[in-house]
Amino acid sequence: MAEKLTTETGQPWADNQHSQTAGARGPVLIQDYNLLEKLAHFDRERIPERVVHAKGAGAKGYFLLENDMSKYTKADVFNGNDKKTPVLVRFSQVAGEKGYPDTPRDVRGFSIKFYTQEGNYDIVGNNTPIFFVNDPLKFPDFIHSQKRDPKSNKRTQERQWDFWSHSPESVHQVTYLMGDRGLPASYRTMNGYGSHTFKWVNKEGEQFWVKYHFISDQGVHNISNKLAGELAGRDSDYLQNELYDSIENGDFPSWSVYVQVIPYEEGLKYKWDIFDITKVVSHKDYPLQKVGKFVLDENPTNNFVDIEEAAFSPANMVPGIEPSPDKLLQGRLFSYKDTQRYRLGVNFEDLPSNKPVVSVHNYERDGYMKSDNQGSEDNYEPNGFDGPKEVPEANIHSFEVSGEAGSQDYSHNVDYHTQAGDLYRLFSDEEKDRLIETIQMNLGQVESDEIKKLEIKQFYDADPDYGTRVAKALDMNIDDIK
């Protein structure tokens, strides 16, 4: 039997088809408060979309801990065996707006929220182990280059390649993006990465650097440029729908969770800067260690409440997991929560998808839409009335810093090309052919020869064959560039 139709405040609603009017032909009466409420709510039912990663999809599930990691971290979620933790995962596109097609070439967001017994723990990563920039000051500029031109309102190849060509640190990620993995066949068949280096601390106070890898148990599958274009016209929500339909049909995707564990002092002396997100750490030097797996077995009950209102932040850490000096990570620790305060309001963490499974006790109160105001507990500290007490063992472990304060040109004489070349040389001949074809399709749309030359020079510095082939594909003379 259907539920009774009610207003937002629970009163029975008699007629949802006809406004109250003065006579059959009107006009409408202002006493029809249900009409006014319905229109007023409709006028306000859209919230600001995410500035980045606006278009996405997600699901619920669980993380199963298979190997006790207490040797490296005291985080409860990773201590023990066969421990199940609820998770919420959101996949997304970086650049497009909320209504943008799913399949254009783009980096894909890969965010996981663990509802642990020590509070929420978020890993906010991508389907790539690296990124385009390594300084938070450049992040807004990078995103602006991916968004629409302020004059024409077009997304253009000219703008994004202009930024990349003037940002040599981007060449590794550009190579990754223009390769096969820039077009995943589905969210279920792409890997995820924490991308940054994080710090783990065990109960004895020993510290380790870690990098997260989420390996698709379905295998990695990608699509061609041609098919991606066809899907954009046939089903603009293709990736979202494919994920939803798979879970609805009982085909639950899973990912094996691995970490690279790097001893503290070794990490500081590693041949590459492990705090530079444009770099990877070799699996040969630090092999993947299995932690467990997570499974997505439940679609959203209400997409707005479960997914659109979900707020992820790398600042959501639990005892035993801490930040590293990674500059881009340090900027994200502030920016991600701040954008949610703008998008959802100051009390966004009261919303169902963001609320932890443990009780919350602190001295923050009030503000718009506060649903849990902690009753009569005191709202100041220090106090003599047995208010919430600090937890000293949750304090982070310090790391040593040195040098002079100021704007640092830390990219000076940094090698941004070798790892991009290593990636190129890992590609099969067929993958290289598709990479060059994709760059030709995209960089070939740029009118400025100067932008093309700067970008080709980066490819050439990564690998001479790489740069030479791109130059040939764009009918440019490599001798004038190298």
Side-chain angles (χ1 to χ4, degrees):
M1 183 177 178
E3 298 288 346
K4 292 180 179 179
L5 182 66
T6 71
T7 66
E8 279 292 298
T9 45
Q11 297 95 348
W13 192 322
D15 189 344
N16 192 30
Q17 309 301 316
H18 308 97
S19 303
Q20 294 181 26
T21 59
R25 300 183 66 181
V28 173
L29 301 178
I30 198 171
Q31 75 176 31
D32 190 352
Y33 197 70
N34 288 343
L35 168 66
L36 302 185
E37 279 292 289
K38 190 173 185 178
L39 292 177
H41 189 280
F42 175 76
D43 292 344
R44 295 164 176 82
E45 69 181 23
R46 291 292 175 263
I47 61 174
E49 67 177 36
R50 292 168 170 86
V51 178
V52 194
H53 297 273
K55 179 73 181 291
K60 304 174 186 178
Y62 62 88
F63 166 71
L64 178 64
L65 177 64
E66 296 177 330
N67 292 302
D68 176 43
M69 305 304 290
S70 60
K71 177 179 178 182
Y72 305 113
T73 178
K74 63 182 178 182
D76 179 73
V77 65
F78 298 136
N79 282 194
N81 285 290
D82 299 326
K83 178 183 292 182
K84 268 190 175 184
T85 301
V87 298
L88 174 68
V89 176
R90 184 177 186 267
F91 308 103
S92 56
Q93 280 65 260
V94 169
E97 303 90 354
K98 199 171 185 304
Y100 211 73
D102 278 359
T103 53
R105 187 173 296 273
D106 200 353
V107 173
R108 314 291 164 167
F110 199 118
S111 298
I112 311 168
K113 186 181 293 292
F114 299 81
Y115 298 95
T116 87
Q117 294 303 308
E118 297 177 307
N120 292 349
Y121 174 45
D122 294 355
I123 301 177
V124 190
N126 288 318
N127 70 330
T128 63
I130 48 180
F131 198 63
F132 298 96
V133 296
N134 53 13
D135 190 315
L137 199 65
K138 293 188 72 170
F139 185 77
D141 299 291
F142 162 63
I143 294 301
H144 288 168
S145 77
Q146 304 292 298
K147 295 287 189 177
R148 296 181 181 274
D149 185 298
K151 180 181 179 182
S152 68
N153 202 38
K154 297 178 181 179
R155 287 188 66 192
T156 69
Q157 296 288 345
E158 199 91 11
R159 288 163 55 80
Q160 68 176 3
W161 286 101
D162 183 32
F163 180 87
W164 290 337
S165 70
H166 288 89
S167 303
E169 69 270 30
S170 69
V171 66
H172 194 183
Q173 175 75 313
V174 169
T175 303
Y176 206 103
L177 175 63
M178 294 294 142
D180 287 354
R181 295 195 182 193
L183 291 175
S186 77
Y187 289 136
R188 299 180 305 113
T189 60
M190 67 182 191
N191 293 340
Y193 304 88
S195 300
H196 298 287
T197 296
F198 297 90
K199 193 206 299 181
W200 275 8
V201 183
N202 65 19
K203 290 181 179 178
E204 287 71 43
E206 296 177 289
Q207 303 177 72
F208 305 86
W209 306 112
V210 299
K211 298 186 81 73
Y212 290 101
H213 301 254
F214 312 116
I215 307 303
S216 170
D217 294 329
Q218 294 70 237
V220 173
H221 301 285
N222 308 296
I223 55 177
S224 66
N225 289 309
K226 182 174 183 293
L227 180 56
E230 292 174 359
L231 289 172
R234 188 192 314 162
D235 181 0
S236 62
D237 299 322
Y238 174 77
L239 295 181
Q240 169 198 272
N241 296 342
E242 199 278 342
L243 175 68
Y244 183 93
D245 292 343
S246 295
I247 295 174
E248 202 71 4
N249 293 329
D251 183 6
F252 304 139
S254 64
W255 286 259
S256 293
V257 177
Y258 295 88
V259 290
Q260 287 176 284
V261 180
I262 308 161
Y264 187 87
E265 291 297 332
E266 287 185 28
L268 300 178
K269 301 172 184 175
Y270 189 60
K271 58 187 176 183
W272 299 106
D273 182 356
I274 67 170
F275 309 125
D276 180 346
I277 197 175
T278 68
K279 305 288 195 297
V280 295
V281 172
S282 169
H283 292 195
K284 293 180 181 178
D285 295 335
Y286 299 101
L288 299 183
Q289 298 189 40
K290 181 77 174 289
V291 181
K293 72 189 310 178
F294 67 86
V295 180
L296 299 182
D297 60 358
E298 183 182 353
N299 274 319
T301 303
N302 181 287
N303 192 272
F304 182 82
V305 171
D306 293 341
I307 307 301
E308 187 62 21
E309 288 192 320
F312 298 85
S313 170
N316 285 338
M317 297 184 182
V318 293
I321 301 170
E322 301 176 4
S324 76
D326 182 325
K327 295 176 178 66
L328 192 65
L329 172 60
Q330 294 276 325
R332 293 177 76 205
L333 295 178
F334 163 75
S335 183
Y336 273 60
K337 288 213 175 193
D338 194 51
T339 194
Q340 303 298 351
R341 281 186 281 268
Y342 163 73
R343 191 174 73 92
L344 298 169
V346 66
N347 290 307
F348 69 90
E349 285 165 324
D350 279 3
L351 295 169
S353 57
N354 305 319
K355 200 172 184 65
V357 295
V358 295
S359 59
V360 172
H361 301 280
N362 55 43
Y363 296 97
E364 296 176 7
R365 297 291 189 278
D366 307 339
Y368 289 110
M369 304 299 289
K370 185 65 176 171
S371 63
D372 180 2
N373 218 18
Q374 303 183 54
S376 61
E377 290 186 6
D378 288 304
N379 63 350
Y380 63 91
E381 189 185 30
N383 66 71
F385 301 103
D386 202 28
K389 296 292 191 294
E390 296 163 343
V391 185
E393 57 266 30
N395 204 0
I396 68 167
H397 287 65
S398 61
F399 51 81
E400 187 175 320
V401 296
S402 62
E404 297 181 359
S407 297
Q408 309 286 342
D409 183 14
Y410 54 88
S411 64
H412 185 62
N413 289 329
V414 175
D415 177 359
Y416 288 122
H417 299 100
T418 295
Q419 287 202 357
D422 290 342
L423 177 61
Y424 175 77
R425 289 183 286 274
L426 278 176
F427 290 161
S428 67
D429 290 341
E430 292 78 14
E431 287 176 305
K432 288 177 181 176
D433 290 343
R434 291 191 291 271
L435 171 69
I436 302 304
E437 176 188 343
T438 296
I439 294 174
Q440 179 186 27
M441 288 173 53
N442 290 272
L443 182 56
Q445 298 178 44
V446 173
E447 294 182 4
S448 167
D449 283 347
E450 184 61 24
I451 291 174
K452 292 177 184 175
K453 288 179 180 179
L454 286 172
E455 192 64 49
I456 292 171
K457 178 65 163 61
Q458 292 184 28
F459 295 147
Y460 186 88
D461 288 345
D463 186 282
D465 178 67
Y466 187 7
T468 301
R469 291 188 62 180
V470 173
K472 183 178 180 181
L474 297 179
D475 295 322
M476 302 188 77
N477 187 346
I478 191 64
D479 292 327
D480 294 338
I481 298 171
K482 67 183 183 181

